[in-house]
Amino acid sequence: MAVEKSFFGNLDESTPIYFYKITNKNGASVTLQTLGAGIHSLFMPDREGKLADVVLGFDDPKYYINPDYGYQGLVVGRWANRIRDGKFTFDSKEYITPKNQGTWTLHGGGRFSFTPWEVEETGENFVTFMRFSPDGEDGFCGNFTMRVKYTLDDNNILRLEYGVLSDIDTVANPTNHAYFNLSGDKNRTVEDEYLLVNADYFTETDENQLPTGELGEVKDTMMDFTALHKIGDNIDVPFRAIIEGIGYDNNYCLRNKDGKMQHAATLYDEITGRKMEVFTDLPGIQVYCGGWLKSDYTAGKENGAVSYRRGVALETQFYPDTVNIKDFPIRTVKAN
Ligand code: BGC
């Protein structure tokens, strides 16, 4: 089945945003949007074959560009997650990135997420988005092109492939920021969903959620998701790497750090029987349960408000602030 293009809405008078929908032979579908090369909706079957939208989002593009709404479904670049003090040294040069949250950079300053991307190619079951970022944009070096190819196959596998090109050596840490709620039920939070994370360690953080460089062991703590259990079981247990009331918003260190594809996480909804397996070739995954979204937020698509703990983001990535912590695993971008 071919990809269907439609109009989503206007960001402003001169910025239309489009949808690209891929449907597979089971009727499962993903709708992508040019804004932030994002996932707008993902319809997946339950154990009876009933389809429901399992990601959070909005029915008006304008909400997506408000960082308070948490980058729903958007691609994040050039560097996902945090950069301490908005600066780092690479190849002996210091680079200054936007302090768009507190005293640090979050999600590269937001530009990759909050601007429309070009659609470079579409096929039977894929869409490739592209964004060019000039040398120095938001402090990062290199004339840099990022591509994200989304493919939905007939086994209900949604594949995200990120490609980066630069004219000089540089750094990159792209991710996707979709929030999943496999119930598709607007009245349910993710506290009832089951999670497994294939990690024995997490990156320890300070009071601003910035990595200290230490790794903490999950064993015998509320951080342990090595066996499948409900997100809500221990989410409010006081713990040094958790901000009270927020719950999980932590980077887990996956077992392979050598770039091999690995199973990172499983998310399971007992009531509907929907299950998602997450694979990545990156060494980390930020598990964020939407604790910074406010309970009184009402905006959202038909599957419910984008509000407190309604979705869990499973952001595969290099560890936060790797650009400043030499012991964290990294693969840099070589000029090409
Ligand atoms: C961060 C959260 C942040 C969210 C939305 C996550 O990757 O870890 O702290 O609220 O992104 O920006």
Side-chain angles (χ1 to χ4, degrees):
M1 177 149 187
V3 172
E4 289 166 77
K5 180 181 176 184
S6 58
F7 177 66
F8 177 12
N10 286 313
L11 206 50
D12 54 51
E13 308 84 71
S14 56
T15 319
I17 304 298
Y18 295 96
F19 284 145
Y20 285 78
K21 182 178 181 186
I22 314 171
T23 308
N24 71 11
K25 75 165 194 305
N26 316 315
S29 66
V30 61
T31 300
L32 307 163
Q33 60 178 27
T34 49
L35 179 59
I39 300 175
H40 179 265
S41 48
L42 180 63
F43 279 83
M44 283 290 158
D46 67 5
R47 60 164 72 81
E48 259 101 56
K50 191 170 155 246
L51 296 169
D53 188 1
V54 298
V55 297
L56 305 187
F58 303 103
D59 48 21
D60 183 331
K62 293 184 191 75
Y63 289 106
Y64 286 94
I65 59 170
N66 179 347
D68 291 348
Y69 285 124
Y71 294 68
Q72 298 296 319
L74 305 175
V75 165
V76 175
R78 296 187 189 188
W79 191 272
N81 216 312
R82 291 153 175 86
I83 298 177
R84 184 184 286 271
D85 296 332
K87 61 179 186 194
F88 63 95
T89 301
F90 175 69
D91 271 354
S92 317
K93 272 201 215 130
E94 191 179 69
Y95 295 97
I96 308 289
T97 52
K99 290 183 186 162
N100 60 326
Q101 199 182 64
T103 55
W104 57 94
T105 303
L106 181 71
H107 299 331
R111 192 189 299 268
F112 272 72
S113 309
F114 302 150
T115 49
W117 289 45
E118 278 171 48
V119 171
E120 188 181 48
E121 199 185 353
T122 62
E124 273 292 292
N125 65 350
F126 73 88
V127 180
T128 304
F129 294 93
M130 185 185 83
R131 180 170 192 275
F132 173 72
S133 172
D135 183 43
E137 187 181 60
D138 297 324
F140 295 95
C141 64
N143 286 302
F144 179 91
T145 301
M146 197 193 290
R147 290 185 170 81
V148 184
K149 179 179 180 183
Y150 290 91
T151 309
L152 178 67
D153 74 14
D154 287 333
N155 298 313
N156 297 346
I157 295 173
L158 178 65
R159 190 184 304 273
L160 281 69
E161 291 167 89
Y162 301 89
V164 289
L165 286 175
S166 174
D167 59 351
I168 54 170
D169 291 359
T170 189
V171 295
N173 188 17
T175 193
N176 177 283
H177 215 299
Y179 293 64
F180 300 92
N181 183 323
L182 300 184
S183 73
D185 179 341
K186 59 171 144 225
N187 298 312
R188 290 179 57 204
T189 70
V190 287
E191 290 171 56
D192 286 340
E193 309 231 320
Y194 288 74
L195 180 68
L196 176 148
V197 183
N198 240 326
D200 302 311
Y201 294 89
F202 62 95
T203 44
E204 293 274 8
T205 41
D206 67 11
E207 68 284 1
N208 289 323
Q209 297 183 275
L210 294 159
T212 61
E214 302 291 310
L215 302 186
E217 232 183 310
V218 302
K219 197 164 177 263
D220 301 325
T221 75
M222 55 82 78
M223 298 291 286
D224 192 345
F225 280 99
T226 53
L228 197 67
H229 70 85
K230 278 194 181 173
I231 291 176
D233 284 344
N234 304 313
I235 194 169
D236 289 315
V237 171
F239 188 66
R240 60 181 185 275
I242 299 279
I243 297 188
E244 203 188 319
I246 301 302
Y248 301 103
D249 186 8
N250 305 83
N251 171 66
Y252 283 82
C253 309
L254 298 170
R255 298 200 173 116
N256 296 338
K257 293 164 185 60
D258 52 8
K260 283 208 196 79
M261 194 60 90
Q262 61 185 318
H263 177 231
T266 300
L267 186 67
Y268 173 61
D269 182 65
E270 202 177 17
I271 297 179
T272 61
R274 288 195 189 90
K275 190 187 207 180
M276 178 173 80
E277 306 276 10
V278 180
F279 293 84
T280 183
D281 60 1
L282 292 172
I285 185 169
Q286 181 86 8
V287 174
Y288 169 50
C289 294
W292 292 106
L293 300 167
K294 303 271 183 280
S295 308
D296 59 1
Y297 284 180
T298 53
K301 294 181 294 183
E302 270 175 30
N303 66 342
V306 172
S307 58
Y308 188 65
R309 294 187 180 169
R310 282 240 38 254
V312 55
L314 297 167
E315 307 156 57
T316 54
Q317 56 188 247
F318 291 104
Y319 306 171
D321 204 29
T322 289
V323 284
N324 282 310
I325 300 176
K326 68 173 183 354
D327 293 339
F328 285 179
I330 189 168
R331 299 194 295 279
T332 54
V333 181
K334 296 288 165 206
N336 39 38

